[in-house]
Amino acid sequence: MSYAYDRVYLDKARIALGRMLDFAVYNLKYEISEFFDLFVKSSVARYFCKREIEKITSKSGEELAYEVLDSNGINMLRIKPNYVSSSSEEYWTGWAVAFYQWQKGMSFAELVRHVPIDKITKLYATYHEMDIRQFCEKMDSMYQLNVG
């Protein structure tokens, strides 16, 4: 299996992506699919794939969110984060998707081309308390269904 980057960075990357999505939805008031589209187009998403993960793990979720916006030419007033919780659906989505992307070594653009982020978020109710491998199996089946 070809992982996207060294496992030592995985936990920090998952937390960063989770907090970024939580912050974008609850503080910056973006819809998750709208913000994730911006993320996919940004340099931030490429850091996960080009093995530049240290650029991710050295920043907070809100710093990454603003970098996504800046990368897309969106200038927004910086606000102090007010995290809903570390267990929001959006946080879990980022946390889980970061693991899946790491495991598969594919780009986020490739992933959401076949499994949209809002469909992944809907998996929260069923999979958030399960082992991450069960989520990955579900993602594999959803991905394969839409590739063929």
Side-chain angles (χ1 to χ4, degrees):
M1 195 171 291
S2 176
Y3 298 113
Y5 47 86
D6 193 295
R7 186 178 185 91
V8 72
Y9 296 108
L10 180 59
D11 287 338
K12 287 184 178 183
R14 292 172 78 187
I15 291 167
L17 194 59
R19 287 205 172 142
M20 180 192 76
L21 291 179
D22 183 269
F23 179 72
V25 169
Y26 293 102
N27 291 257
L28 301 179
K29 306 302 182 198
Y30 276 88
E31 292 294 325
I32 193 167
S33 58
E34 179 186 9
F35 189 82
F36 208 83
D37 285 345
L38 293 171
F39 166 69
V40 166
K41 295 174 190 171
S42 75
S43 57
V44 177
R46 290 187 290 277
Y47 296 156
F48 282 88
C49 300
K50 290 187 174 182
R51 300 176 193 253
E52 297 179 63
I53 198 67
E54 65 279 352
K55 292 181 180 179
I56 299 295
T57 59
S58 65
K59 295 182 181 181
S60 68
E62 63 269 12
E63 288 173 315
L64 293 175
Y66 286 123
E67 190 169 335
V68 165
L69 296 176
D70 291 345
S71 182
N72 282 279
I74 300 169
N75 197 5
M76 185 174 270
L77 180 66
R78 292 343 194 210
I79 61 172
K80 184 178 178 180
N82 182 19
Y83 290 110
V84 174
S85 75
S86 63
S87 60
S88 71
E89 290 180 9
E90 295 77 13
Y91 177 89
W92 175 84
T93 300
W95 180 86
V97 165
F99 183 90
Y100 189 75
Q101 182 274 336
W102 168 79
Q103 182 186 57
K104 297 299 178 183
M106 73 173 69
S107 71
F108 288 104
E110 171 69 13
L111 172 62
V112 296
R113 181 174 18 260
H114 300 288
V115 186
I117 198 70
D118 56 335
K119 287 188 178 186
I120 298 170
T121 302
K122 289 178 182 171
L123 297 175
Y124 172 84
T126 303
Y127 290 92
H128 79 279
E129 291 187 2
M130 291 185 183
D131 186 285
I132 192 68
R133 292 173 292 190
Q134 292 171 300
F135 165 76
C136 291
E137 289 172 7
K138 178 65 174 175
M139 286 293 295
D140 285 344
S141 68
M142 291 171 70
Y143 183 86
Q144 290 303 320
L145 183 65
N146 292 312
V147 169

